[in-house]
């Protein structure tokens, strides 16, 4: 029997994820010790309410409300409390007392990541966070280690299960956004207050983390452009389907050269967008998550799976625990977070993408030519134009109130050029209304 050195593990939080981490650590301790090369002793679990029911149960003697005392003397501290405070302060205390730390807390990392990484670097500790993006999906380690020798060009992610579930239900069952949200709430996929999910805040935190890693640059959360799904209509989803697209809330980050200034920069953004029905991300249904990476040498890679769930997420946390334990056994300083590239984060106005614009226009001769020239005046090149009602440019209706629907697909254009085009469309006398403007990604 091999005698392992024992490492003291302090767990902060015994909720959805924490209770599974505690249970698996106790149940599979010997196996994990063999993989880690060290004994993993769970010394305690900090919670708010000792008497609250836990699923799975945690032995009562491990529970404490004194998180500060628990981390004293711990070799590894796992933070699964959520929120910014006291999580930040406790992790800084743990790092400064020489512990390696593990967290699944994307809000904390997106807001205070640099402070925590700097603190870890100062003392030679390591901060692990595989569970912070994509739940069970291994994505942090592939970006940080496996792709460290490559250059990531772009990441498109479905990183929020709640919004993917809602959009998927709209797409597959024709539900309205409101009714799909109600179903998500009933099934426990949406919080009582769904704002963080449906307004894209959760996805923005995750894309800030992914972009920082992928582009070796600190990407502040405030620099992430964000739109949620609340303006997405069933009509948009249905007309997207007819045109061979699916609407998804995408978290996107990419390396870009600014067309105006020539600056080599990065864009990080979250918005609902059309993707071709043939794109691998279009096949991500329900609450699942996926991250699609385009790298210079590796080409396209996709990481897919459960983006949340206490048990599923505990897999990523325990993987970090084994890594942290191995590092303790080997010794030496942790590997600092790489932000050597220090690229500029470009504002959304400088980003180029394609668009699909749906207009209701007056159905009379010359309208198509007028619309086409308006686009061209604003430097947006039209790629496709379909007219679903009314007559084409060569004819004309005798009814002055007749309305035609135009669906216009553009070539790549900057957000600024597109915004100016939409403003001009809204005041043009042949345009009755701008029904929808959606970006097209993944082409
Ligand atoms: P949760 O179910 O709300 O559990 C939070 C736990 O922390 C509870 O046990 C709570 O104690 C304890 N806690 C909170 N504040 C505390 C304080 N001030 N002092 C002591 N204990 C405190 O949260 P969760 O869903 O497990 O999520 C934990 C973290 O994992 C979050 O950062 C979340 O974003 C991340 N994450 C979660 C998932 C998921 O599927 N749930 C997926 C990926 C990442 P009581 O039980 O006594 O209230």
């Amino acid at each position: 029997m091999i005698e392992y050195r024992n490492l003291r593990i302090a767990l902060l939080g015994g909720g959805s994820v924490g209770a599974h981490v505690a249970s698996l650590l106790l149940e599979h301790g010997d196996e994990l010790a063999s993989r880690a090369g060290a004994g993993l002793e769970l010394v305690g679990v900090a919670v708010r309410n000792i008497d609250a029911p836990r699923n799975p149960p945690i032995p009562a003697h491990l529970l404490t409300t004194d998180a500060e005392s628990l981390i004293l003397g711990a070799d590894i501290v796992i933070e699964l409390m959520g929120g910014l405070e006291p999580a930040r302060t406790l992790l800084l205390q743990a790092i400064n007392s020489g512990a390696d730390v593990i967290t699944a807390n994307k809000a904390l990392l997106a807001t205070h990541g640099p402070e925590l990484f700097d603190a870890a670097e100062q003392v030679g500790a390591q901060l692990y966070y595989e569970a912070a993006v994509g739940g069970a999906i291994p994505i942090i380690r592939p970006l940080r280690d496996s792709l460290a020798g490559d250059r990531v060009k772009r990441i498109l992610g479905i990183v929020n299960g709640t919004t993917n579930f809602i959009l998927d239900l709209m797409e597959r069952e024709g539900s309205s956004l409101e009714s799909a949200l109600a179903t998500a709430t009933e099934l426990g996929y949406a919080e009582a207050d769904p704002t963080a999910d449906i307004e894209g805040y959760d996805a923005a935190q995750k894309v800030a983390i992914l972009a920082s890693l992928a582009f070796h640059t600190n990407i502040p959360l405030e620099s992430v452009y964000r739109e949620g799904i609340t303006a997405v209509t069933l009509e948009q989803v249905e007309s997207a389907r007819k045109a061979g697209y699916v609407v998804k809330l995408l978290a996107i980050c990419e390396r870009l050269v600014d067309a105006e200034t020539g600056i080599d920069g990065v864009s990080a953004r979250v918005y609902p967008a059309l993707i071709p029905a043939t794109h691998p991300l279009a096949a991500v249904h329900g609450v699942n998550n996926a991250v699609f990476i385009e790298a210079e040498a590796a080409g396209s890679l996709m990481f897919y799976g459960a983006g949340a769930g206490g048990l599923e997420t505990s897999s990523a946390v325990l993987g970090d625990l084994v890594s942290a334990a191995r590092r303790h056994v080997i010794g030496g300083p942790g590997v600092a977070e790489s932000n050597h590239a220090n690229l500029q984060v470009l504002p959304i106005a400088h980003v180029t993408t394609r668009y699909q614009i749906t207009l209701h226009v007056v159905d009379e001769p010359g309208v198509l030519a007028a619309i086409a020239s308006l686009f061209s005046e604003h430097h947006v090149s039209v790629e496709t134009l379909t007219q679903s009602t009314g007559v084409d440019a060569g004819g004309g209706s005798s009814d002055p109130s007749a309305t035609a629907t135009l669906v216009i697909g553009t070539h790549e254009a900057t957000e600024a050029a597109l915004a100016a085009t939409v403003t001009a469309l809204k005041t043009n006398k042949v345009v009755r209304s701008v029904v929808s403007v959606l970006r097209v990604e993944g082409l």
Side-chain angles (χ1 to χ4, degrees):
M1 177 101 179
I2 303 170
E3 281 289 321
Y4 291 122
R5 172 187 160 197
N6 233 24
L7 295 176
R8 294 166 58 81
I9 318 299
L11 179 56
L12 310 180
S16 303
V17 187
H20 283 284
V21 168
S23 162
L24 289 173
L25 185 50
L26 294 171
E27 202 179 317
H28 301 161
D30 290 346
E31 196 178 334
L32 295 177
S34 308
R35 293 178 194 171
L40 302 171
E41 183 196 354
L42 180 60
V43 291
V45 183
V47 293
R48 269 177 306 212
N49 176 6
I50 298 265
D51 301 319
R54 309 209 169 264
N55 180 25
I58 298 174
H61 72 275
L62 289 176
L63 294 172
T64 174
T65 53
D66 187 356
E68 282 201 33
S69 301
L70 183 63
I71 59 180
L72 292 175
D75 296 298
I76 299 171
V77 173
I78 307 175
E79 184 276 310
L80 297 170
M81 306 164 95
L84 299 184
E85 288 292 356
R88 170 185 156 275
T89 303
L90 289 168
L91 280 188
L92 287 171
Q93 280 172 5
I95 289 167
N96 289 325
S97 69
D100 276 348
V101 292
I102 297 167
T103 181
N105 192 332
K106 64 239 155 193
L108 179 64
L109 288 172
T111 315
H112 296 299
E115 182 187 18
L116 293 164
F117 290 123
D118 284 352
E121 191 178 353
Q122 293 293 320
V123 298
Q126 184 85 49
L127 169 54
Y128 298 84
Y129 54 101
E130 183 60 72
V133 182
I137 305 171
I139 184 63
I140 301 299
R141 214 167 264 107
L143 274 173
R144 188 190 154 108
D145 298 332
S146 321
L147 289 167
D150 206 335
R151 280 186 179 165
V152 174
K153 294 192 293 186
R154 185 154 73 138
I155 298 179
L156 298 179
I158 294 174
V159 292
N160 181 271
T162 309
T163 46
N164 199 57
F165 176 86
I166 291 170
L167 294 173
D168 198 36
L169 212 61
M170 292 170 75
E171 153 82 20
R172 297 214 277 186
E173 294 187 14
S175 308
S176 67
L177 183 105
E178 293 71 25
S179 116
L181 173 58
T183 308
T185 311
E186 250 168 58
L187 294 173
Y189 296 148
E191 307 271 335
D193 176 1
T195 311
D197 293 322
I198 65 175
E199 295 292 0
Y201 291 103
D202 172 82
Q205 290 168 350
K206 291 168 179 168
V207 83
I209 295 170
L210 291 179
S212 299
L213 253 182
F215 301 112
H216 306 273
T217 290
N218 171 38
I219 310 284
L221 184 55
E222 313 77 68
S223 67
V224 177
Y225 176 81
R226 175 196 53 79
E227 279 175 35
I229 62 163
T230 47
V232 176
T233 63
L234 183 56
E235 291 68 33
Q236 284 177 326
V237 171
E238 284 175 345
S239 78
R241 187 179 47 240
K242 284 180 201 147
Y245 293 103
V246 180
V247 182
K248 294 284 187 193
L249 182 70
L250 294 182
I252 303 169
C253 50
E254 65 184 327
R255 190 134 180 196
L256 283 181
V257 176
D258 190 325
E260 266 176 42
T261 60
I263 290 173
D264 192 6
V266 176
S267 154
R269 51 198 201 266
V270 171
Y271 46 58
L274 302 176
I275 52 167
T278 50
H279 191 283
L281 287 174
V284 178
H285 298 297
V287 289
N288 283 311
N289 282 197
V291 180
F292 187 83
I293 299 179
E294 294 165 29
E296 224 170 78
S300 298
L301 305 165
M302 185 152 112
F303 300 81
Y304 167 85
L311 176 62
E312 294 84 344
T313 305
S314 72
S315 160
V317 175
L318 289 168
D320 278 350
L321 178 59
V322 171
S323 297
R326 284 179 184 151
R327 203 190 82 70
H328 262 265
V329 172
I330 295 165
V335 180
E337 207 65 6
S338 149
N339 52 17
H340 67 88
N342 203 17
L343 298 169
Q344 191 169 321
V345 185
L346 301 177
I348 187 75
H350 295 211
V351 167
T352 55
T353 188
R354 293 164 187 253
Y355 304 86
Q356 192 186 81
I357 300 136
T358 306
L359 303 175
H360 283 164
V361 296
V362 174
D363 189 7
E364 62 184 32
V367 166
L368 289 191
I371 297 290
S373 84
L374 185 148
F375 272 78
S376 127
E377 274 162 34
H378 291 89
H379 313 290
V380 179
S381 157
V382 172
E383 186 184 26
T384 58
L385 194 157
T386 50
Q387 183 171 341
S388 56
T389 59
V391 291
D392 64 19
S397 167
S398 53
D399 175 3
S401 67
T403 298
T405 301
L406 299 185
V407 180
I408 297 156
T410 75
H411 285 289
E412 283 206 340
T414 63
E415 287 272 340
L418 194 274
T421 309
V422 172
T423 305
L425 285 168
K426 283 180 177 163
T427 54
N428 191 291
K429 62 182 189 321
V430 301
V431 177
R432 293 225 154 98
S433 65
V434 178
V435 180
S436 143
V437 179
L438 279 171
R439 298 165 180 97
V440 183
E441 297 284 355
L443 285 172

